[in-house]
Amino acid sequence: MSLREAPVLAQLCTLLVEDQYGQLASRIFALLARRGRQDIHSLVRNSYFTKDKIKHGLVILIQQHLVFYYTDADNGLTSYEVDWVQAYCLVRFGKMIKMTENRFGGKAGAIISMLASLGHTRVGDLVHAYFPPGTETNGLTNGAHKSSGANGTNGNGAAVNGTTNGLNPAEATQASDDRIRSPEALHAILYALLDAGWLVPAHPTHYLSPGDRQSEAENAVIKELYEGMTPSGAKALNELKTLAIQRKRKVRDESLELPKNLIKFDRSNTSRKRAAEDDGGQASKRMRVDGDNSIITSTTEYECITPDFPEDVTLDDNLVVRVNHEKLTVALRGQQLVQLAEKRFCKTTSEVYKALLWCLEKAEPRCYEEWPDPSDPKKDGQQEESTYVDPMYLATCLDVVKILNPALDLLEGLEPAAAVTCLDTNQATADERGYIQPPVDPLLLTRSERLRLINKHLMYLANDANVQFVTWESQRGGGQYRVDYNLLARVMLQMEIDNTVMAGEGKMGLRLIRALKRKGRLSERLVCKTTLTTPNMIRSVITKMQIKGLIETQEIPKVDSRVTKQSDHLIWYDTQRVRERLLHDVYKGMIRILQRIAYEKDRIKDVLQKAERTDVVGNEDKYLSKEERLKLKHFEEVQEKLLIQLAREDDLVAVLRDFTGPIPPDFPVGYRRQVINDEE
């Protein structure tokens, strides 16, 4: 059983499904998670549900993309299998919405929230839900179907009926700024999300499990190239494997492309002007995603400018869209990199880094390639010998300055002497106290000055001694840079492992981990020699870390009679093993958090049921007693703390699992054998 199919992950995903979609869907999901691939007859036989209830539950799970299904062409039997990645992503609904709001505005966040709760839907049904026939387009309040579980699960039992109908965004009305006032504006926001990759067209291949994709790819290759006969021989089988991987990548990439025949552009500007007038009475050539045509100039707002989108775009009503969790994981990786840069430098440098990552994000459809080409020299984190870098993976300071907020004080965070050299004027100088005299207004900086200051911030990131956030490539565009995401992901992974070891075993454990990572497999004597410690000091640390699974020991007998004194006892460290062990522990922690939330809800379920009544909502002081209000307030405080902790645990899962693929051993077997020989 693989790591993603571990029982602890099955329990976690079952709790998430139950919290979001109810007991029926969770029990069917748990049955599939426990027994594996099943058809509907097996599900009826192994459960206490009728066939109709099983079908209803499967419709909910399929609509939410929580279950794969495949119909055999020979016997017509449909089999169902759990989608572990999509099921775990239920815990990230709140983060998805928040990241979308920060990037594209509140209106786009409301659309992502609705699509996350629905799984997928037609554009026509979405427009019909926002603008029902016979309603005033300009006065409709809509588009704010936000989940109350912003930091995790919300426990409100989202209304999911397995169809694309039943949308009622007016039931969750938000502020008037989040209203989408015209169908044209809705189409424009949807296209902006599709173009950025945050939404993708739903495709039948999205419901195929990894095994079904592999078998279909192999069957297609055998039919096309081998005339329907499976080849024999090691060389032919390796060629078949390589061609199947290439075909899977091709089919996957084609399924993510925007269908050109379902997207139309109207250059007449008539509909755009009408949409602008509906939104505020001002017609503009290009509209902002957030509906604000003015550039942000507040000195207290440092966020990057939300990207604009092509004007006069219309999507076909039959286009079915869904949320792309792979792209959202890329955005989550960028967010954690920005937080790491802010810890090591300052807020201003992190905002410049954020703008650079936004420029490079379009070329990153996913965090790592799940199906690498066996002949690719860059697989397993290796680098090509050639220094050529594809321009799509490069960004310049000119690209950064286009989306960076003009109100951001780029002088902050730089050494005054270095900042003065970036200014065109010769009057500004750095005094003894470290201040620039006379003070420079950041809003009056010229474009060339901003480019030089941005380049200075990026050079700070490139020259960091411990984490190479960016890599300088050339002077083009004021400075051209790229980001080695695979290297940064592994650096963040090792930092989390080091923090765990440091918290449990202190500096001695961290010293042992680094020695084993640098030297390979060592005996106790070599460990003491490398770490400059005595055997009595290191033995207790080795025992504790071995029990926790952070290091491993291995006995190598020198003679046939496995005598203890005549055997080599080696200590070694494997990043992939420790990664899986920590991920398992994080899953268990998340399960306990969800169980605690369910326990707290059960304690005051009567008060919660009363507080959720329609006549009580908004009138709690009138219908709830003082004791009930205190219980409700205490529960909300406890739930908020638990959900914050759940979000932090999810950040660990992202670092440990999602940002990089499997890590090969640090040292080859021959090197480890050489270490043993050197000791002898």
Side-chain angles (χ1 to χ4, degrees), residues 212-222 244-245 247-248:
D212 294 329
R213 291 192 179 193
Q214 179 69 22
S215 61
E216 282 205 349
E218 290 180 353
N219 293 336
V221 172
I222 291 173
I245 290 176
R247 186 173 184 86
K248 284 196 298 184

Side-chain angles (χ1 to χ4, degrees), residues 39 146 192 247 256 308 421 430 623 643:
D39 55 33
K146 292 189 178 181
R247 186 173 184 86
L256 299 179
D308 51 6
T421 60
Y623 293 103
L643 290 177

Side-chain angles (χ1 to χ4, degrees), residues 490-504:
R490 299 196 177 187
V491 168
M492 288 193 294
L493 173 61
Q494 191 60 48
M495 290 175 63
E496 292 296 342
I497 295 176
D498 292 346
N499 293 337
T500 303
V501 174
M502 186 67 181

